[in-house]
């Protein structure tokens, strides 16, 4: 296991960490590790970078412009199927906390009700497949669902105007809806099909990193892991740390989101971050069956638990 | 009757020191109907200003302008005005330029075209009617501008140095043209020029203006009868005497 | 076919040379496809998805054309009003300048929020992008004819409207076309930004989807399509300008 | 303080009137904050996050200034080369036009991919955006002096370089400044696009974060800051132009 | 010695029909050192073309140009050339414009300034030395251009209609200036003009050119000694006789 090296003896190693989106409660553990000095203790100086929602974290990590990144199992799967050499080091949240929402007033309760409605999405290839699968299960006609790409826009406001349903992370957008007293019907993705209970988000790096600098990777993951454990145990303090690091965000939203999300980081897993082979395999197969991947991926190369700290630490 | 200016004065404000610069002292001038009067005077004395006032582009500070007994100061469209520059519109062919006045007066297009073409022919411009101004020589352009002014159809013409930019020969030709046209049409003409020969050759009367603020120094009757022979007239002793007198006046 | 002249041959050769160099560098250094595809791969992607690209292009063309046409209409109206009434001009002109400094990519999401995901917000974005260069050049053109021309017409008793259409308008035409060229160049970009932020079809959508699927060759195919479309608009305006400005045409011809 | 003139008073009054109308409409129709905030809310957001905005602004200013300066340098070099060698001009000019039709928002992610997410790609984007208007106007200015001036100098036995700095350069200055003004207006937008795609600080970052946190008042505060910054650049260039072009200054003063 | 043109010919290609237009037929002309020769001829006959050839801006198709025995065709910087337009640079003050030649020749700045200021004083332009061209009247601009040409320091001057755009009075003044300067410096001058009086007043010799393609029709010696009295000279019978002869020649 790693022995803490005093920061004074060696200059810290600079490490770039690219987020997947605006700093939010998915990232709390990362900021805790920064604030509490876990990174520093490991001899790391971590720089945070934030892209827009349409960012290309995966490619940036793949070419080594960023050493680590936050991504999602869907992206990693698609990327690997296109020979982009990245892999997942840890699942930040054990179960998929995303799902399809619609305003309660529209009374959309089942996939059958999607017919004749408008879906506002992110422009990801998997969206079509998931919705299609969902609707086919109930013998609904997917072609009657209008798909539009809403990109950067405020999903909740769009729900009151142009679209009927959209795909959100409950821990962030759902909480904002609660703050706004906007009542929503939520259809959890993990309930639709076990294959869709994938890891989202995950911590990623590139293959070269784990081969050439396994020790650095281990140190990094040690700090990250401790950060999330702290966030699990101390939701209130963790929320304040995130608020300090994301001064542009709404503190009320962060507090309520953190309270909801902290118990879900680890959930039923033995340890924070653990990933299961079947989750990777199931989802990739599911995509291949629907012709959404150019080829099947090797799940064992798409993720690793090797860099997580020993369970007893 | 004709054109008469009564007590016309005009000042411009100088921008730098908020001083006002008097250009015209109250000035009186008569141009009888059908007569040809030339104005001559030093540069910057206010000749163009007088034209602008008569054309109505500017308004006098005091005084009135009568055209056939009607006060016209500050009103537009009463006289044909040919400014110093030819001002042919670059995006119109010569013919279209010449027809400008007819268009503004909403005259019958076809009739106007026929008339214009005949005039162009007389002016030796027929082959160039579809040319754009930049394809014409300076002399052709100036003839076009003169033609435009005549076709505008007013009985009174203001010509501000109409031949200023021409070489000696073209200038002589143009002067003959103007003379022959005037012999036929007997417009009322106020001509501004800095060429003493030109003034003597064309006018019934030459009015000499002083430096600013401008007043009339003297008027000369030009005693030659119409039609005139330009070649002989200017070398005659009477003309040479007049010229010497005019020069003396302008220099001192 | 004025643009297919001998004098463009060196550029064309140079362009082909650049493509060749690109191809060789990529293949000899084994740059992975997802990082930078070869020109042949891009051409292949273009060909394979030609129907898809074509249908997306139609949407973009519709948005661009309508937005551009509306921009022209509004420019004509507002430039006309500003030229005929200097007072209104003084009131509005500073806003014109400031409006240009407002970051469109920040405002576009709001526009989409307010106007929905249909064609409307894209048309608006195209219109906003095109409006400024057209209006500015039109105002300059309408205001700047030699005052002597204006005075000549005034002395003939021409009405404001006659002065406008006899002098101001023809004088403004060359500048108007310069503005239209700039606007045409940027119009497609406006539509793509709009589509990027929310749409169901259009080249911007094709671009985002390809990018999210890590299909870099298609991303480049999209860039190529967008560039070609913009350039087509530019060429169209250039040809139109030649036809509409015969006097300038003859001037340039004479002096060469 | 040329811009603080009486003649802008009506515009200012009109602007305040618009703000007032906005405020009243929002409050009386109870438009929710997250859809469209009132001006007072925006002002409040500006004030509350002033330190945050200031620190983000510094980043953006750095990117914009460096990118702008580089664009100027490259414009000077390439316009100079193209004017001194018509052959090179014919080779490169078509690419200049085409480059302008390439959709920057599609290329920007690639730039970030190749150059990383430091200041470099933002500086590049600003540079690309600014380069075109500066270069085009510079080329026009350098090429278009009355050939009679050039012949006069040639007849005096002046060298190419003397002709360049005695005639071409001063003749190009007013057009150069016109191009600089346009470039200044767009430069901040370029930096914001770059930051939007990946950065750790800058007004674009502030903008995205606010937008993702559903804080519409801060989104507007960001838009305001970006607009103000762009306008400041514009004003700076205008003042510089006045100082650098005394003969034009005196001309305008004389004719008013 | 002086300036001599031998068998100079020049054609321009007409853009429309790929026809070539002959402007100068082989032409010979001698301007002796220290003499003042005027060229007079119809518009478009090729006077400016001759100047451009001598100044080296264009090259002749055939023929040679010698300056003090040296062939100079196609070489630049040998003569002082004052083109028809004043061509003062709008971004330079009058003083800076006048110093243009010294700058190009890399002369000592301070010395040149002192000399230029003295000349400006003589030309009555001292108070305007810091003005930009658009702030000067036409006469002042033309005087500036003349001064620039003189200060360029060449012994041979080409003056292409130097007073073309001036009114009669300013023109007279400028002619006197030129005469008095020439009396002091005795430059070799080739003057182009369309004003017959001007040619007679200033020159030792007047050369009359034909219409295109241009050849020399006739040369006139002007028999008045220097220094001349402009007021009397032009009204003398000899001058009037010369003028009539010149006119006849130009018209027919
Ligand atoms: N709009 C104006 N504002 C201020 N001053 C003016 C204006 N128009 C003319 N002036 C001045 O009024 C005087 C008379 O000008 P005007 O053009 O009438 O002279 P002119 O006799 O026509 O001279 P020229 O023979 O050179 O054409 C000049 O000194 C000129 O500077
Ligand atoms: N660059 C050129 N290309 C073609 N033709 C030309 C060119 N320069 C001059 N010409 C023609 O050559 C002839 C002589 O021109 P030039 O300018 O020498 O005449 P000029 O005697 O100076 O006339 P003006 O008295 O009007 O100044 C004209 O007919 C003109 O059209
Ligand atoms: Mg005048
Ligand atoms: Mg000439």
């Amino acid at each position: 296991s790693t022995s803490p090296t005093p920061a004074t003896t060696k200059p810290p190693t600079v490490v770039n960490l690219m987020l997947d989106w605006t700093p939010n409660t998915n990232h709390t553990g990362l900021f805790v590790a920064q604030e509490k000095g876990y990174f520093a203790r490991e001899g790391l100086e971590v720089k945070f970078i934030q892209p827009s929602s349409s960012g290309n974290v995966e490619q940036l990590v793949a070419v080594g412009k960023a050493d680590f990144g936050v991504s999602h199992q869907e992206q990693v799967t698609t990327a690997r199927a296109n020979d982009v050499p990245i892999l997942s080091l840890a699942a930040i949240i054990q179960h998929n906390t995303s799902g399809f929402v619609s305003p309660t007033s529209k009374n959309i309760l089942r996939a059958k009700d999607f017919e004749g409605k408008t879906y506002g999405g992110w422009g990801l290839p998997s969206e079509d497949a998931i919705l299609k699968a969902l609707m086919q299960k109930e013998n609904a006609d997917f072609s009657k669902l209008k798909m539009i790409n809403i990109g950067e826009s405020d999903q909740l406001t769009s729900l009151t105007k142009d679209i009927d349903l959209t795909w959100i992370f409950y821990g962030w957008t759902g909480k904002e809806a609660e703050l706004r007293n906007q009542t929503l019907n939520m259809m959890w993705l993990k309930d639709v099909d076990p294959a869709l209970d994938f890891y989202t988000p995950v911590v990623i790096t590139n293959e070269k990193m784990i081969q050439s600098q396994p020790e650095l990777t281990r140190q990094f993951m040690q700090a990250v892991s401790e950060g999330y454990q702290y966030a699990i145990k101390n939701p209130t303090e963790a929320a304040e740390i995130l608020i300090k690091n994301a001064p542009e965000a709404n503190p009320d939203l962060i507090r309520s989101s953190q309270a909801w999300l902290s118990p879900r980081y680890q959930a039923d897993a033995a340890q924070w971050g653990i990933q299961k082979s079947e989750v990777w395999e199931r989802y990739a197969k599911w995509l291949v069956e629907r012709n959404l991947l150019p080829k099947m991926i090797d799940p064992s190369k798409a993720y690793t638990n090797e860099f997580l700290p020993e369970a007893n630490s | 009757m004709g054109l008469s200016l009564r007590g016309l004065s005009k000042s411009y404000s100088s921008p730098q020191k908020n001083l006002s610069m008097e250009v015209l002292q109250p000035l009186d001038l008569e141009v009888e109907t059908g007569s040809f009067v030339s104005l001559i005077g030093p540069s910057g004395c206010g000749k163009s200003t007088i034209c602008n006032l008569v054309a109505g582009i500017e308004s006098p500070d005091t005084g009135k302008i009568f055209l056939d007994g009607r006060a016209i100061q500050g009103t537009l469209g009463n006289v044909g005005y040919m400014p110093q520059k030819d001002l042919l519109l670059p995006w119109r062919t010569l013919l279209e330029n010449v027809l400008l006045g007819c268009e503004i007066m909403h005259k019958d297009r076809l009739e106007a075209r026929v008339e214009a073409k005949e005039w162009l022919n007389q002016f030796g411009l027929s082959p160039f009617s579809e040319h754009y101004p930049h394809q014409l020589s300076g002399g052709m352009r100036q003839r076009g501008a003169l033609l435009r002014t005549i076709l505008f159809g007013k009985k009174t013409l203001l010509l501000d140095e109409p031949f200023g930019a021409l070489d000696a020969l073209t200038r002589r030709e143009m002067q003959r043209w103007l003379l022959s046209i005037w012999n036929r049409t007997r417009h009322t003409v106020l001509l501004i020029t800095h060429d003493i020969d030109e003034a003597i050759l064309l006018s019934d009367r030459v009015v000499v203006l002083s430096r600013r603020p401008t007043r009339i120094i003297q008027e000369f009757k030009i005693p030659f009868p119409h039609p005139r022979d330009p070649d002989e007239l200017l070398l005659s002793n009477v003309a040479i005497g007049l010229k010497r007198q005019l020069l003396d006046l302008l220099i001192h | 076919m004025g643009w297919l002249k001998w004098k463009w041959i060196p550029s064309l050769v140079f362009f082909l040379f650049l493509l060749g160099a690109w191809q060789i560098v990529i293949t000899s250094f084994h740059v992975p496809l997802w990082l930078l595809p070869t020109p042949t791969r891009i051409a292949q992607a273009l060909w394979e998805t030609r129907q898809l690209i074509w249908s997306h292009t139609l949407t973009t063309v519709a948005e661009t054309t309508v937005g551009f046409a509306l921009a022209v209409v509004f420019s004509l109206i507002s430039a006309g009003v500003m030229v005929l009434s200097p007072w209104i001009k003084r009131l509005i002109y500073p806003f014109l300048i400031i409006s240009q400094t407002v970051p469109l990519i920040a405002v576009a999401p709001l526009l989409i929020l307010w106007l929905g995901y249909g064609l409307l917000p894209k048309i608006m974005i195209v219109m906003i992008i095109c409006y400024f260069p057209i209006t500015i050049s039109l105002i300059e053109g309408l205001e700047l004819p030699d005052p002597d021309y204006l005075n000549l017409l005034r002395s003939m008793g021409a009405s404001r409207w006659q002065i406008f259409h006899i002098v101001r308008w023809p004088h403004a035409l060359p500048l108007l076309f310069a503005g239209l060229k700039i606007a045409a160049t940027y119009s497609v970009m406006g539509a793509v930004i709009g589509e990027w932020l929310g749409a169901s079809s259009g080249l911007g959508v094709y671009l985002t989807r390809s990018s999210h699927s890590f299909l870099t060759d298609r991303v480049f195919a999209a860039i190529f399509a967008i560039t070609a479309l913009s350039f087509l608009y530019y060429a169209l305006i250039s040809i139109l300008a030649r036809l509409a400005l015969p006097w300038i045409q003859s001037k340039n011809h004479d002096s060469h």
Side-chain angles (χ1 to χ4, degrees), chain A, chain B, chain C:
Chain A
S1 110
T2 53
S3 55
T5 38
T8 44
T9 57
K10 253 201 311 183
T13 314
V14 175
V15 161
N16 290 309
L17 167 63
M18 187 151 194
L19 305 181
D20 59 332
W21 210 59
T22 289
N24 62 73
T25 44
N26 284 349
H27 309 137
T28 310
L30 303 170
F31 285 105
V32 169
Q34 176 88 328
E35 278 297 312
K36 289 277 170 191
Y38 303 157
F39 284 135
R41 192 199 57 210
E42 299 291 335
L44 303 176
E45 184 189 331
V46 177
K47 292 198 168 144
F48 286 70
I49 301 117
Q50 175 216 328
S52 84
S53 61
S54 61
N56 39 4
V57 194
E58 295 78 18
Q59 280 122 317
L60 281 166
V61 171
V63 296
K65 294 284 183 212
D67 302 299
F68 299 96
V70 176
S71 181
H72 308 260
Q73 186 179 333
E74 310 132 273
Q75 313 297 94
V76 176
T77 305
T78 319
R80 288 209 61 90
N82 283 290
D83 301 323
V84 184
I86 53 168
L87 79 168
S88 163
L89 295 172
I92 289 176
I93 305 172
Q94 267 299 320
H95 292 284
N96 192 337
T97 58
S98 71
F100 298 112
V101 290
S102 57
T104 39
S105 58
K106 298 206 169 149
N107 212 25
I108 300 170
L109 301 171
R110 306 177 307 124
K112 184 80 189 157
D113 300 329
F114 289 2
E115 286 184 353
K117 296 293 192 293
T118 304
Y119 169 78
W122 305 83
L124 301 175
S126 54
E127 289 178 303
D128 293 37
I130 292 171
L131 283 162
K132 202 168 178 177
L134 203 73
M135 290 178 74
Q136 271 168 355
K137 243 170 64 180
E138 302 189 13
N139 290 322
D141 185 357
F142 172 67
S143 66
K144 287 187 182 154
L145 176 65
K146 191 176 169 213
M147 306 281 294
I148 56 178
N149 191 359
I150 66 170
E152 271 300 293
S153 305
D154 175 350
Q155 293 169 297
L156 292 174
T157 307
S158 294
L159 276 179
T160 65
K161 296 175 63 95
D162 310 283
I163 61 173
D164 303 305
L165 70 159
T166 186
W167 187 4
I168 65 163
F169 281 94
Y170 193 80
W172 189 256
T173 315
K175 287 282 137 184
E176 167 73 12
E178 285 177 14
L179 290 181
R180 286 188 191 183
N181 294 322
Q182 195 174 348
T183 52
L184 301 172
N185 283 330
M186 178 91 180
M187 197 176 291
W188 298 92
L189 220 60
K190 62 180 168 26
D191 300 340
V192 173
D193 189 312
L196 298 183
D197 189 13
F198 47 74
Y199 299 121
T200 175
V202 295
V203 179
I204 59 166
T205 189
N206 59 50
E207 290 177 348
K208 214 159 141 204
M209 178 64 99
I210 58 167
Q211 280 151 19
S212 61
Q213 292 177 288
E215 196 50 34
L216 177 80
T217 312
R218 197 161 282 122
Q219 288 168 339
F220 178 80
M221 287 313 292
Q222 169 77 32
V224 168
S225 182
E226 281 182 51
Y228 276 100
Q229 274 154 19
Y230 179 93
I232 292 166
K233 287 189 202 111
N234 313 291
T236 324
E237 290 85 348
E240 295 311 317
I241 288 174
L242 179 61
I243 289 168
K244 188 173 161 228
N245 280 278
E248 298 88 354
N250 182 353
D252 295 335
L253 175 58
I254 288 180
R255 285 186 195 110
S256 90
S257 170
Q258 193 63 56
W260 187 86
L261 202 56
S262 273
R264 286 173 172 79
Y265 285 138
Q266 189 173 342
D268 50 3
Q271 181 190 351
W272 174 85
I274 286 283
Q275 303 169 79
K276 285 185 249 162
S277 180
E278 63 191 79
V279 173
W280 282 90
E281 181 144 18
R282 240 177 5 208
Y283 179 63
K285 265 198 183 136
W286 191 87
L287 288 175
V288 169
E289 280 160 17
R290 285 161 184 77
N291 263 328
L292 283 166
L293 274 193
K295 59 176 189 244
M296 182 59 191
I297 61 162
D298 178 356
S300 66
K301 289 200 171 144
Y303 83 96
T304 174
N305 289 324
E306 195 190 322
F307 297 94
L308 292 174
E310 305 296 321
N312 58 3
S313 70
Chain B
M1 301 299 276
L3 182 69
S4 79
L5 322 184
R6 305 261 171 82
L8 226 50
S9 78
K10 178 81 185 168
S11 300
Y12 285 113
S13 60
S14 154
Q16 278 94 342
K17 292 159 198 163
N18 270 348
L19 283 175
S20 114
M21 181 179 69
E22 198 174 15
V23 177
L24 300 182
Q25 280 187 331
L27 182 121
D28 294 287
L29 182 70
E30 295 287 329
V31 185
E32 295 79 22
T33 306
S35 76
F36 198 120
V37 174
S38 291
L39 280 182
I40 201 161
S43 179
C45 77
K47 303 182 295 294
S48 298
T49 306
I50 294 176
C51 283
N52 287 339
L53 291 174
V54 175
I57 296 170
E58 296 184 50
S59 294
D61 295 343
T62 67
K64 301 214 148 157
I65 301 167
F66 294 95
L67 184 64
D68 299 331
R70 205 159 41 85
I72 58 155
Q73 67 278 10
T75 68
L76 298 152
N78 301 298
V79 297
Y81 181 18
M82 176 179 174
Q84 203 157 344
K85 298 198 239 171
D86 60 65
L87 296 180
L88 297 181
L89 298 170
W91 43 84
R92 292 186 161 221
T93 61
L94 180 59
L95 180 63
E96 288 166 355
N97 261 298
V98 159
L99 286 170
L100 187 66
C102 308
E103 193 178 325
I104 289 174
M105 311 277 285
H106 302 291
K107 283 194 192 149
D108 182 82
R109 286 183 72 87
L110 263 179
E111 231 171 80
R113 280 183 96 84
V114 171
E115 196 192 354
K117 283 194 171 164
E118 197 173 304
W119 277 92
L120 281 173
N121 196 19
Q122 281 184 43
F123 269 57
L125 291 173
S126 271
F128 303 97
S129 63
E130 298 307 318
H131 283 49
Y132 288 105
H134 70 90
Q135 297 172 311
L136 303 173
S137 83
M140 295 176 186
R141 294 169 60 122
Q142 212 123 22
R143 271 177 277 172
L146 182 55
L147 190 46
R148 177 183 63 198
T149 312
I150 291 169
L151 280 180
F152 185 47
K154 298 294 168 188
K155 279 301 289 172
T156 313
L157 302 183
L158 304 178
L159 309 177
D160 190 356
E161 309 200 7
F163 314 130
L166 298 181
D167 69 289
L169 299 176
T170 318
R171 191 175 187 129
R172 281 174 56 88
E173 254 177 56
M174 293 289 291
Q175 289 165 352
R176 276 146 211 249
W177 268 113
L178 186 57
L179 210 52
S180 73
I181 291 164
W182 185 81
N183 276 330
R184 275 194 287 148
T185 59
R186 295 283 166 159
H187 284 102
T188 309
V189 180
L190 184 64
L191 173 84
I192 290 178
T193 180
H194 58 242
D195 182 331
I196 296 173
D197 286 350
E198 185 170 291
I200 294 173
L201 175 63
L202 298 172
S203 334
D204 297 320
R205 208 143 49 84
V206 176
V207 178
V208 182
L209 299 175
S210 72
R211 291 200 181 275
R212 220 177 40 230
T214 302
R215 49 188 183 77
I216 295 174
I217 307 182
Q218 199 168 332
E219 300 198 8
F220 292 86
K221 274 209 123 52
I222 309 298
F224 303 106
H226 288 281
R228 295 172 177 176
D229 174 1
D231 289 328
E232 283 314 308
L233 190 149
L234 281 178
L235 297 171
S236 71
N237 283 332
V238 182
I240 290 176
L242 269 169
K243 191 175 169 184
R244 185 170 279 187
Q245 268 183 287
L246 275 163
L247 260 178
D248 279 351
L249 211 58
L250 283 167
I251 291 162
H252 306 295
Chain C
M1 291 301 163
W3 44 275
L4 237 173
K5 277 185 193 147
W6 276 104
K7 62 172 179 165
W8 301 129
I9 297 287
S11 292
L12 208 68
V13 171
F14 188 52
F15 181 64
L16 292 178
F17 165 78
L18 286 181
L19 282 187
W22 178 355
Q23 179 86 28
I24 289 166
V25 167
I26 299 283
T27 42
S28 54
F29 284 89
H30 300 289
V31 177
L33 171 66
W34 51 267
L35 194 59
L36 186 59
T38 58
T40 48
R41 268 310 285 258
I42 298 170
Q44 198 182 329
L46 263 174
W47 177 250
E48 279 165 3
T49 57
R50 62 190 181 280
Q51 284 179 317
L52 201 59
I53 290 183
W54 180 244
S55 72
H56 284 303
T57 305
L58 287 183
T59 310
T60 306
V61 167
E63 293 159 359
T64 319
T65 313
V66 177
F68 190 82
L70 283 177
V72 172
V73 170
F74 279 104
S75 294
L76 291 182
I77 293 173
S78 51
V81 166
M82 279 193 250
V83 167
L84 292 177
S85 157
W87 199 87
I88 293 183
K89 187 194 161 191
R90 221 161 62 204
L91 203 64
I92 296 180
Y93 203 78
F95 291 99
L96 254 176
I97 299 287
I98 290 176
S99 78
Q100 211 41 23
T101 64
V102 173
L104 193 68
I105 49 152
V107 178
L110 298 170
L111 271 182
I112 290 190
L113 209 58
W114 298 329
L115 301 176
Y117 293 94
L119 291 185
L120 196 61
K122 289 102 194 176
I123 290 173
M124 283 282 289
I125 292 172
V126 172
M127 205 185 85
I128 292 172
I129 282 202
C130 294
Y131 175 78
F132 185 74
I134 303 177
T135 310
I136 293 286
S137 39
L138 197 52
I139 290 178
E140 214 149 288
L142 291 174
E143 283 199 336
L144 281 189
D146 191 336
D148 291 337
Y149 286 121
L150 305 180
N151 277 335
L152 173 71
L153 263 87
R154 294 212 304 124
S155 85
M156 292 173 130
S159 64
R160 257 175 181 234
W161 169 243
Q162 284 179 325
I163 291 180
F164 190 90
H165 88 93
I166 293 177
V167 180
R168 291 192 191 275
W169 176 249
H171 180 265
L173 271 183
L175 269 162
L176 172 62
F177 274 103
L180 286 177
K181 274 186 203 170
I182 297 176
T185 319
Y186 289 132
S187 61
V188 184
M189 188 166 82
V192 169
I193 291 183
E195 289 161 1
W196 202 34
L197 295 173
S200 45
S201 103
L203 286 171
V205 172
Y206 177 83
L207 184 76
T208 337
R209 291 201 182 148
S210 308
S211 150
H212 283 157
S213 310
F214 303 97
L215 297 167
T216 317
D217 49 348
R218 293 204 190 169
V219 171
F220 275 86
I223 292 176
F224 176 83
I226 293 167
T227 304
L229 188 60
S230 313
F231 193 70
L232 194 74
Y233 280 117
Y234 181 88
L236 269 177
I237 303 278
S238 302
I239 291 171
L240 219 67
R242 275 163 184 256
L243 298 179
L245 309 171
W247 68 95
I248 290 206
Q249 195 40 26
S250 90
K251 203 165 193 165
N252 290 343
H253 188 259
D254 288 4
S255 71
H256 275 289

